[in-house]
Amino acid sequence: MADASSLTNPFAALTVVVAPAILTNASSVLCMGTASRIARVVDRTRQVALEIASMEDHTGRPFQIRVSQMEKLNRRSQQLFWALRFLYASLGLFASAALIAVIGSVMSYYNFHAAFEAIAVLGMVTFVFAVLGLVSGCVLMVREVQLALASLSEEASLAREHYRP
């Protein structure tokens, strides 16, 4: 339970709102970056599909690498889609946690102790789920980057074979 000085201090509510507000901003930035990565995966998928369609030999290594890239692009798109879902959920939950913190501060100020305690628990649960969503989205983003680098490695290998003097 908070002491009396923190209940009357107008900056107490501000400090409780700051963490969710900063993490709301971080989630927004991650959402924009993830959406951009989805657009790049879509563009690359279209390009690889055109390359596959133009190939006459469907048994050679270049064809197999392009098919492998399409599979990786499909997995990347799914991971990015789930990452974006988690990040948007976190964004909403962090904003909710900030609002809940303000409501809790008002309940505390007016000495509604039972309501304050219920709001505090709700705020903590909301914040924990928001952090879990943020972490999950970030883990998916790292896995997507690993797939992107694996495709890049395959393509570099093919280029070295094709352009070797």
Side-chain angles (χ1 to χ4, degrees), residues 56-130:
E56 293 176 9
D57 179 15
H58 291 184
T59 60
R61 181 160 156 71
F63 178 79
Q64 296 303 323
I65 286 179
R66 293 297 183 254
V67 168
S68 173
Q69 285 181 336
M70 283 297 280
E71 291 168 0
K72 285 182 181 74
L73 286 165
N74 184 44
R75 284 189 302 208
R76 286 176 63 193
S77 68
Q78 292 301 313
Q79 287 181 348
L80 287 168
F81 175 67
W82 279 100
L84 195 58
R85 277 184 166 181
F86 283 125
L87 294 171
Y88 274 130
S90 293
L91 179 61
L93 288 168
F94 283 130
S96 298
L99 179 62
I100 290 168
V102 169
I103 292 169
S105 295
V106 170
M107 295 295 149
S108 174
Y109 180 79
Y110 287 109
N111 293 321
F112 296 133
H113 296 294
F116 168 75
E117 289 176 7
I119 293 290
V121 168
L122 177 63
M124 187 56 133
V125 168
T126 303
F127 192 76
V128 166
F129 277 113

Side-chain angles (χ1 to χ4, degrees), residues 13-33:
L14 182 61
T15 57
V16 171
V17 172
V18 167
I22 289 172
L23 290 169
T24 298
N25 186 43
S27 296
S28 297
V29 171
L30 284 168
C31 285
M32 289 188 310

